[in-house]
Amino acid sequence: MKSKNSKLMYVSAAVLAAGAVAGVNTQNAHAAEVQKQADKNAAQKTIDQNQKDLTQTQDQLTKAQEDRDNAVRKTSDAQANVLTADSNNQSAQNVLANAQDQLKTAQDAQAKAQANYDASYENNVKSAQNDVNKANAAVQSTHEQINVQNAKQAEALNNRQGQEAALKTNTETLNKTNEEISKTQGQVQQAQKTYDDVNKDYQPVKAELDKQAKEADDAQKAAQENVKELTQAQNELKTAQDTANKAAETINNAQAKLNSDTEALNGAKSELSSKQKQANDLTSQRDQVAKDLQTAQNKMNTAKAELDADKDAVVNTMVMPQVYKDTMKKWSGKDLSKQSDMDQYEKEMAAASWIGWTQNEYKHNEAEKNHMVDLKHMSRADQIELNKFGIDLINQLRTQIGVDPWTFNESALDFANAIANRYVKDDWDSDKDGHDSAGINELAHQYGLNYGIPRDGKYSNDGQYYENLMTDRFGWTEIPFEQAKANADKFGNPYDYSDQELAYNDNNTYTHSKDDYNNRLDDMDHLKNQVYNTVKRFAFNYNEWLHAYGILSQRYLNYSAKGKNYAAISFSVKPTPDHWGFDDMDIHVVNVHESMVLDPKVFNVNANIPLTDDKSELKKQYTDNLVLVNTLTPKKSNLDNQINGLTNDIKGLNTRISDLTKSISDTNKTLADAKATKADADKKIAVLPDRVQELKDKQASLDKAQSKAETDLATYQAKNKDLLAQFNAAKANLDKLTAKLNDLNSAKSKAESAVAESKANLDKATSELSAISSHLDELKAKLSTAKTTKEQADANLAKAKAAYDEYVSTHKDVIDNLNKANAELADKTKAYNEAKEDAAKTDKEYQAAQDELTKLNNHIEDLSTAITNYESKIKQLNTTINKQKAGQKRAALDAQINKALDNVSAPKHTVTTTTSVQAGTSSSVAPEVAVSTTQRSEVLTNTVVKSNNASVLSPQTKKLVAQANASKNSLPQTGANDKLSVFAALAGLSLASLGLGSLAGDKKRKRN
């Protein structure tokens, strides 16, 4: 291929000779092209990033403008809220002032009534009663102390008797030991005399025995030393043989291992390739799932962010797991008469419900914890708020399983309230007796609904169509499962509750005052928590699902899956404790299917209350994507686990390949070492048998010498056998008696210590018994005095009571006035405290409204500043991008010129191009015409190359050259435009010689 630089050889020879170009070569041209492309990519990347920043800033500007518009629209509402809160606060302050005046009046009246009452009689009774109590306590206490001392005295007597018996036993033992010592001392003296007599004759014989024994021992040692050397030589021979055998075995094993490891290495490499492919496939799946999960998460977060725009807004949702829907669908319409089918159904439903239970948890609203609700006199507004909250949760579940939502209805709410009032009227113990069916059927009749009547004409008590009932203890609800589990781990689980049972247990969480509890007041957040948990318990129970079918229109109640269901929720509190002694609160979830309405004039099916608001679509988006997140998260986790498993397998295989490679190397070394070891052992085997035979011959002579020495020793020992026996017997008897005497002396020392210890213990026991007796005498005297004091206190109490009774009978009007004044003061104090709380609450609400307005105005100001900044940034980015695009167009034009130059036709028959330039000389060889340049001192003569195919430029090239000439001064002096620079500097003369005009090259341009 012809170099791009070849065409430069066709320019004027004079220009080349003048040194304008010196050795442009193919390699430099290629590097320039690579650099130009890199610069072009970098420039495009910068433009793309700026374009991305521009789009992002435009989106931010649009969002900020929308936020400012929304904030401005909210300003009027916020100002109205401030005015309303201020008015409410002024009213509450007036009520507080009035309550304070009434409290002052009640305090004055109580003080006056208290002044007319003589409390001394009552105080005397109290004082006398205290004296009686003290006297009774003193008598009781002294009795108890005497009983304690009697027990101690009996114990001390037993202890002293025991110490006396121990002293007697230890003294007898000491006397017996002294007698035995005296007897043994005489025996030792006699044995010593016998030993001394025999020892005189024994000593000369012992000297000869020692001498002969040494000679026998020396002979034995010499024989043993030779045996040792023989054994060593034999062991060395055996070791060499074993080493040779082992080395041969090692050689065989190493060769086998080498073959096995090589085969395993090939298998591991093949398995590694397979695992890597599996990992790549799963990674692609995981990445797609992760992308889908992130999309769902972003959508969910976006929806939640908009739902939480209000600082006090808290969104509670109820999610139906796919496994729950699948399980309900699987068992829908199935016959469960077989126990095995029922067991399997309950097992699967319990597992699916547990997933639903753990995925749904109530979100608290701190603001609503200050909103107190009177359950015995609930306002319509509070009822509607709780109904909307609860029915919306149920409809979230119904929508997710594809059944028609419930409709909140005024008549349904009246019907539900009537049911709640009936429970209160009947003081109904729902925890014991379940539904008040007869009452519900009677009310259904009154509200124009279908109802049950048995044959006796009374309202049916066997069942009803409308109510799902949750019986809670007032003020109680379950804590989150994680906390229940943590408590069980920390404090124990003595009844071995399962996780499901722990989750369903109630826990006392009432946090208000005792008065609030007694008056059945609870906060809105806690009531919503109980409504949330009611729906959650109905839908995701762990051992029954009839309530789930009731609110979800499944299985037996699927007739209500379509059409209108008019629904409402009401609350009732039992006037008296239930059969367990608890204060019950019932939540009545009532729904009336349109088929149950008999008289639409009584039950108004058109009086519906809308549940939806402008955030319904956001709630649906949040719930739908929450379901998707809950579905994709375990799927991604499963894929992650599989990938991690494969990654670990791959890591293990790489490790195994590395280990096998090292093992093969080590085995090759082992094989070489074993061969060397076997050669060394074979050398030893050749010389050791002769050494073994030499030592065996020497051993026969040594054994003979040892035998003679041992025979001589035995002969001498036999000759003096009687003397040796006498000496050994005398010495053994003396040693035995001496040891016995030592043992007796030791026993004597122990017996003396035991006698001394027994005497000390007896003295101590006698002293303790005496002290206890003295203390007992003191307590008996104290008891007598306490009894006397008690009799006097009883008499004084009777006297004080009689005086008090007489005062009460003669001053009844004074006491009644005081009681009345106390009651009035309590009522006014309560009213004042309530007014004070209301005033504080309205003041807080006013301040909150004012703060919200201020925050809103500040937010508008911040958004206006942000909008200004965004607009400035957009303008700046547009300017930068336009400049960058202009530069990019300039670079594109340069590239077009270079491309045009590449397309210039050269002589077809050129064979060789010489690019080396010497001082004043350049040559180019062609088949027809040679080119020569002669340098003279006064003039340069240019000779133009001509051939059968003269070089020409296309019209497009002419246009590009003209453009380059017009803008030559704006070209950047970078490597990306080197070719154009050379062209602008040199090509003019050559092109002029072809009749195409002149390009005025910039002679000062340099390569960079």
Side-chain angles (χ1 to χ4, degrees):
M1 175 180 287
K2 183 181 72 174
S3 167
K4 293 181 179 180
N5 294 297
S6 299
K7 61 180 174 290
L8 295 178
M9 297 304 302
Y10 295 97
V11 302
S12 168
V15 177
L16 292 173
V21 175
V24 181
N25 57 51
T26 302
Q27 183 177 0
N28 288 340
H30 177 68
E33 290 297 322
V34 172
Q35 182 61 42
K36 283 191 286 184
Q37 186 61 44
D39 292 342
K40 179 180 179 182
N41 293 342
Q44 185 61 48
K45 184 176 180 181
T46 302
I47 293 175
D48 292 343
Q49 182 59 47
N50 286 335
Q51 189 65 52
K52 182 178 178 182
D53 291 344
L54 175 61
T55 302
Q56 181 179 355
T57 306
Q58 288 172 334
D59 292 342
Q60 291 172 333
L61 173 61
T62 301
K63 180 69 167 56
Q65 289 171 335
E66 292 175 354
D67 290 346
R68 183 179 64 180
D69 293 342
N70 290 334
V72 170
R73 284 193 291 269
K74 292 179 180 178
T75 303
S76 60
D77 293 338
Q79 290 171 338
N81 291 339
V82 170
L83 295 176
T84 301
D86 185 36
S87 176
N88 294 338
N89 189 31
Q90 292 297 329
S91 299
Q93 294 296 338
N94 294 335
V95 172
L96 176 62
N98 183 46
Q100 189 172 16
D101 292 340
Q102 294 182 11
L103 175 61
K104 180 65 171 60
T105 301
Q107 287 172 336
D108 294 341
Q110 193 274 343
K112 182 177 180 181
Q114 186 67 49
N116 294 330
Y117 174 70
D118 188 352
S120 62
Y121 294 96
E122 183 178 356
N123 292 336
N124 288 339
V125 171
K126 292 180 180 178
S127 177
Q129 184 62 57
N130 287 336
D131 292 342
V132 169
N133 294 341
K134 290 179 181 178
N136 286 334
V139 170
Q140 180 65 27
S141 175
T142 307
H143 267 302
E144 292 174 354
Q145 293 178 51
I146 288 173
N147 291 337
V148 171
Q149 293 304 314
N150 283 333
K152 287 184 178 180
Q153 186 180 49
E155 183 180 355
L157 284 171
N158 291 334
N159 183 39
R160 186 176 68 176
Q161 291 173 356
Q163 296 303 328
E164 289 172 344
L167 177 60
K168 180 180 178 182
T169 299
N170 291 333
T171 301
E172 291 174 351
T173 300
L174 177 60
N175 293 335
K176 184 177 180 180
T177 302
N178 285 330
E179 291 175 1
E180 189 69 21
I181 288 173
S182 178
K183 178 180 177 181
T184 304
Q185 284 175 338
Q187 294 174 342
V188 169
Q189 291 173 357
Q190 182 62 40
Q192 184 67 49
K193 183 177 181 303
T194 301
Y195 173 78
D196 292 341
D197 293 341
V198 174
N199 191 43
K200 290 178 182 179
D201 298 331
Y202 171 73
Q203 288 301 320
V205 174
K206 181 178 182 300
E208 182 63 24
L209 280 173
D210 291 343
K211 176 184 175 184
Q212 293 187 16
K214 183 177 182 305
E215 292 174 353
D217 184 60
D218 291 343
Q220 183 184 31
K221 287 181 179 179
Q224 289 175 343
E225 184 63 30
N226 190 75
V227 168
K228 181 178 179 182
E229 291 182 17
L230 175 61
T231 302
Q232 182 178 354
Q234 289 173 330
N235 289 340
E236 288 178 0
L237 177 59
K238 185 177 184 302
T239 300
Q241 291 170 336
D242 291 343
T243 300
N245 294 335
K246 186 175 180 181
E249 182 181 359
T250 301
I251 290 170
N252 293 333
N253 292 339
Q255 188 61 54
K257 188 173 188 304
L258 194 61
N259 297 336
S260 174
D261 285 351
T262 301
E263 182 180 355
L265 177 61
N266 293 333
K269 288 181 178 178
S270 176
E271 185 179 357
L272 175 63
S273 177
S274 175
K275 294 283 187 182
Q276 286 173 332
K277 183 178 184 305
Q278 293 179 45
N280 292 336
D281 292 342
L282 287 175
T283 299
S284 297
Q285 296 178 38
R286 190 273 313 276
D287 291 345
Q288 184 59 47
V289 170
K291 181 179 179 182
D292 294 342
L293 176 60
Q294 186 61 51
T295 299
Q297 186 73 54
N298 291 340
K299 290 181 179 179
M300 184 183 75
N301 292 340
T302 299
K304 188 175 187 305
E306 294 188 37
L307 288 169
D308 292 344
D310 184 349
K311 66 177 182 180
D312 292 331
V314 176
V315 179
N316 272 285
T317 57
M318 193 73 71
V319 177
M320 177 69 73
Q322 185 62 43
V323 65
Y324 189 99
K325 292 187 281 188
D326 294 341
T327 304
M328 283 199 302
K329 182 177 180 181
K330 172 183 176 181
W331 291 98
S332 179
K334 294 289 183 65
D335 181 9
L336 299 178
S337 58
K338 290 183 180 180
Q339 186 59 45
S340 60
D341 290 340
M342 176 60 76
D343 292 342
Q344 183 63 25
Y345 159 77
E346 291 180 343
K347 178 181 179 181
E348 292 182 14
M349 283 298 295
S353 296
W354 181 240
I355 294 174
W357 183 275
T358 56
Q359 286 184 356
N360 292 283
E361 198 66 55
Y362 177 73
K363 298 177 181 64
H364 289 279
N365 187 325
E366 293 299 322
E368 290 184 346
K369 290 182 179 180
N370 298 319
H371 179 176
M372 298 301 290
V373 179
D374 185 347
L375 285 165
K376 294 193 294 185
H377 308 92
M378 193 181 296
S379 69
R380 194 70 166 183
D382 287 341
Q383 289 179 345
I384 291 174
E385 182 174 354
L386 287 166
N387 268 267
K388 286 185 174 182
F389 177 79
I391 296 173
D392 176 66
L393 292 173
I394 294 172
N395 283 345
Q396 289 180 37
L397 295 174
R398 291 176 67 88
T399 300
Q400 291 173 56
I401 63 174
V403 299
D404 290 348
W406 282 1
T407 300
F408 183 26
N409 180 270
E410 290 276 6
S411 292
L413 181 57
D414 293 339
F415 181 39
N417 286 334
I419 292 174
N421 293 335
R422 183 60 175 266
Y423 273 67
V424 174
K425 177 183 176 182
D426 294 345
D427 196 12
W428 190 260
D429 191 344
S430 57
D431 188 61
K432 175 184 177 184
D433 300 320
H435 298 277
D436 188 356
S437 295
I440 294 172
N441 282 315
E442 181 180 350
L443 291 169
H445 184 196
Q446 295 175 11
Y447 276 84
L449 304 175
N450 195 358
Y451 60 96
I453 299 179
R455 293 181 180 179
D456 58 7
K458 297 180 181 179
Y459 292 103
S460 174
N461 196 34
D462 295 331
Q464 49 82 39
Y465 304 118
Y466 307 104
E467 177 188 70
N468 281 284
L469 177 65
M470 174 59 68
T471 297
D472 277 343
R473 298 172 187 173
F474 171 72
W476 291 34
T477 187
E478 62 270 4
I479 56 180
F481 167 65
E482 289 77 9
Q483 186 178 345
K485 182 68 171 174
N487 290 345
D489 293 340
K490 181 177 181 180
F491 302 112
N493 185 6
Y495 300 107
D496 295 323
Y497 285 135
S498 66
D499 286 351
Q500 288 85 344
E501 289 169 331
L502 285 174
Y504 281 79
N505 277 343
D506 288 335
N507 290 271
N508 192 342
T509 59
Y510 192 78
T511 58
H512 304 293
S513 68
K514 183 65 176 178
D515 285 342
D516 286 345
Y517 183 90
N518 291 335
N519 292 314
R520 301 298 184 258
L521 302 180
D522 204 353
D523 63 81
M524 180 62 77
D525 175 70
H526 192 244
L527 288 174
K528 285 185 177 180
N529 191 359
Q530 288 180 290
V531 171
Y532 187 96
N533 288 337
T534 293
V535 177
K536 183 176 172 181
R537 282 174 177 271
F538 284 167
F540 305 118
N541 212 309
Y542 71 102
N543 59 6
E544 68 85 17
W545 293 275
L546 291 178
H547 291 89
Y549 297 149
I551 66 170
L552 300 179
S553 300
Q554 299 295 303
R555 201 169 177 81
Y556 311 113
L557 298 161
N558 57 9
Y559 72 91
S560 59
K562 299 298 180 183
K564 289 286 188 179
N565 281 278
Y566 303 103
I569 301 172
S570 62
F571 302 79
S572 64
V573 288
K574 192 173 183 296
T576 62
D578 66 11
H579 65 295
W580 296 110
F582 294 113
D583 296 324
D584 285 348
M585 181 188 78
D586 289 333
I587 300 177
H588 310 267
V589 180
V590 175
N591 72 292
V592 179
H593 189 256
E594 58 186 356
S595 63
M596 293 293 180
V597 179
L598 302 181
D599 189 350
K601 295 179 180 179
V602 178
F603 190 95
N604 188 351
V605 297
N606 296 317
N608 299 321
I609 303 173
L611 292 173
T612 58
D613 53 29
D614 57 352
K615 294 184 179 181
S616 59
E617 286 301 320
L618 286 174
K619 291 180 180 178
K620 184 176 185 303
Q621 177 182 336
Y622 177 82
T623 304
D624 291 347
N625 284 283
L626 178 60
V627 172
L628 192 56
V629 167
N630 290 335
T631 301
L632 292 175
T633 298
K635 184 175 181 181
K636 178 180 178 295
S637 177
N638 180 47
L639 288 170
D640 284 335
N641 291 336
Q642 293 184 59
I643 292 170
N644 290 337
L646 286 170
T647 300
N648 291 333
D649 291 345
I650 291 170
K651 183 179 179 182
L653 285 169
N654 282 322
T655 301
R656 177 162 171 73
I657 289 171
S658 177
D659 292 343
L660 286 169
T661 302
K662 183 178 183 302
S663 177
I664 290 172
S665 175
D666 293 344
T667 302
N668 280 323
K669 184 177 183 303
T670 300
L671 186 60
D673 292 345
K675 289 179 179 179
T677 299
K678 186 175 185 305
D680 183 62
D682 288 340
K683 291 179 182 179
K684 292 181 179 179
I685 292 172
V687 298
L688 282 173
D690 292 340
R691 172 64 176 163
V692 169
Q693 186 59 45
E694 178 186 348
L695 291 171
K696 284 183 178 179
D697 295 341
K698 183 179 178 182
Q699 187 64 38
S701 174
L702 291 173
D703 288 343
K704 184 176 180 181
Q706 179 184 357
S707 177
K708 182 180 183 303
E710 290 175 348
T711 300
D712 292 344
L713 177 62
T715 300
Y716 189 76
Q717 286 175 335
K719 180 180 177 182
N720 296 279
K721 177 178 67 173
D722 294 340
L723 178 61
L724 291 173
Q726 291 176 14
F727 175 79
N728 290 332
K731 186 175 185 305
N733 187 45
L734 178 61
D735 291 341
K736 178 181 177 183
L737 291 172
T738 301
K740 181 180 178 181
L741 181 61
N742 291 336
D743 291 342
L744 288 170
N745 285 326
S746 177
K748 177 183 177 181
S749 177
K750 291 180 180 179
E752 288 174 344
S753 297
V755 169
E757 183 178 358
S758 296
K759 287 181 179 180
N761 289 340
L762 179 59
D763 292 341
K764 181 179 178 182
T766 301
S767 175
E768 289 176 351
L769 182 60
S770 177
I772 290 171
S773 298
S774 298
H775 190 200
L776 195 56
D777 292 340
E778 293 173 359
L779 288 173
K780 289 178 180 179
K782 181 179 178 182
L783 177 61
S784 177
T785 301
K787 288 180 178 180
T788 301
T789 302
K790 177 182 181 305
E791 292 171 356
Q792 183 61 45
D794 288 339
N796 291 339
L797 176 59
K799 183 177 179 181
K801 284 184 176 180
Y804 176 71
D805 292 341
E806 181 180 358
Y807 178 77
V808 169
S809 64
T810 57
H811 295 79
K812 189 174 184 303
D813 56 336
V814 173
I815 295 172
D816 289 344
N817 288 337
L818 179 59
N819 291 336
K820 182 178 179 182
N822 285 333
E824 183 69 15
L825 178 60
D827 290 341
K828 298 305 180 184
T829 300
K830 179 181 178 182
Y832 172 74
N833 290 334
E834 291 175 348
K836 187 176 180 181
E837 290 179 1
D838 288 342
K841 179 180 178 182
T842 55
D843 184 65
K844 183 178 179 181
E845 290 172 348
Y846 168 72
Q847 190 60 48
Q850 187 65 50
D851 291 344
E852 183 64 23
L853 179 60
T854 301
K855 180 181 177 182
L856 194 59
N857 287 328
N858 291 338
H859 185 50
I860 292 172
E861 184 177 348
D862 292 342
L863 288 170
S864 298
T865 301
I867 288 169
T868 301
N869 293 336
Y870 289 144
E871 290 172 342
S872 175
K873 185 176 180 181
I874 289 170
K875 182 178 180 181
Q876 181 181 356
L877 285 169
N878 276 323
T879 301
T880 301
I881 291 170
N882 290 335
K883 288 182 179 179
Q884 290 171 333
K885 287 184 176 179
Q888 199 175 39
K889 289 180 179 179
R890 178 68 265 169
L893 181 60
D894 293 345
Q896 285 181 287
I897 293 175
N898 282 328
K899 183 176 180 182
L901 289 174
D902 290 340
N903 292 330
V904 174
S905 301
K908 294 182 178 180
H909 302 293
T910 300
V911 176
T912 305
T913 299
T914 303
T915 58
S916 60
V917 181
Q918 298 177 354
T921 304
S922 177
S923 63
S924 180
V925 181
E928 297 185 11
V929 181
V931 179
S932 63
T933 301
T934 303
Q935 182 177 4
R936 299 181 180 177
S937 59
E938 67 277 6
V939 65
L940 289 175
T941 302
N942 298 326
T943 303
V944 179
V945 177
K946 295 183 179 180
S947 69
N948 294 334
N949 295 289
S951 300
V952 296
L953 294 180
S954 68
Q956 179 64 24
T957 303
K958 294 178 183 178
K959 180 180 179 180
L960 293 173
V961 170
Q963 291 173 346
N965 187 46
S967 59
K968 63 182 185 299
N969 293 323
S970 66
L971 292 175
Q973 295 188 13
T974 65
N977 295 298
D978 287 337
K979 192 188 310 181
L980 184 59
S981 301
V982 173
F983 179 79
L986 306 177
L989 293 176
S990 177
L991 294 174
S993 69
L994 298 175
L996 298 176
S998 174
L999 287 176
D1002 187 351
K1003 301 293 180 66
K1004 296 181 181 180
R1005 187 177 298 278
K1006 298 180 180 179
R1007 294 176 62 87
N1008 293 323

